Amino acid sequence: SSGINAEYGDSLLRFTVYLLPSKIRIWGRTRSRAVALAERLGCVASESVAEACRDADIICTVTSSTLPVLFREHVKPGAHINVVGASSPTAREISDDLMLSASLSVICDCYEAVVVEAGDVVQTKVSVKHEIGELIKSGYAREEGR
């Protein structure tokens, strides 16, 4: 994960460290900040995005970048990518080739917002498949027999 300066990045990583029983690796543009955060959270600061993402099942980006930081070659097939930053039309966290890859299924919190605010979606014009709420509802409906 990146976004060492973002307050919510620290919170998100702390949440992840306590809930997931796996190795957590982070990366940040400012190495000293990445190392400090990794020490606070008890995880590993990686030297590069590629190293941080190597064989990762879950990748979370938390940046305010206007240029992609995560590329297709960093992501193993079947990995889940949670894009938290890129919340303005000019922001980018994910490369075009990754956004447009056939295996990518874009799920958002609010369709109306993501198609005008999320730079990765706005700039690539990728199709948004679902809102998370509808997936949760449909899962609960199946479990409860409705």
Side-chain angles (χ1 to χ4, degrees), residues 87-140:
S87 57
S88 74
T90 59
R92 290 300 302 269
E93 292 186 297
I94 309 300
S95 67
D96 288 355
D97 66 333
L98 181 54
M99 284 297 294
L100 299 170
S101 71
S103 62
L104 184 70
S105 180
V106 176
I107 301 168
C108 67
D109 54 352
C110 176
Y111 179 80
E112 291 79 15
V114 79
V115 296
V116 295
E117 295 175 5
D120 291 313
V121 172
V122 171
Q123 293 183 41
T124 60
K125 298 179 180 21
V126 70
S127 175
V128 177
K129 305 291 185 196
H130 303 284
E131 284 188 359
I132 190 70
E134 71 187 37
L135 294 178
I136 292 170
K137 270 186 179 175
S138 67
Y140 285 129

Side-chain angles (χ1 to χ4, degrees), residues 22-82:
S22 60
K23 185 175 182 179
I24 307 295
R25 297 179 300 247
I26 64 171
W27 171 83
R29 285 190 176 109
T30 306
R31 177 83 178 139
S32 61
R33 290 182 179 160
V35 168
L37 179 59
E39 287 173 358
R40 280 198 322 270
L41 299 176
C43 55
V44 176
S46 298
E47 294 285 338
S48 67
V49 173
E51 180 185 315
C53 296
R54 186 173 300 118
D55 297 321
D57 295 319
I58 300 171
I59 299 169
C60 183
T61 60
V62 186
T63 77
S64 58
S65 181
T66 57
L67 299 172
V69 295
L70 184 63
F71 295 84
R72 190 174 184 169
E73 63 266 18
H74 298 146
V75 181
K76 76 175 188 178
H80 170 84
I81 305 167
N82 187 33

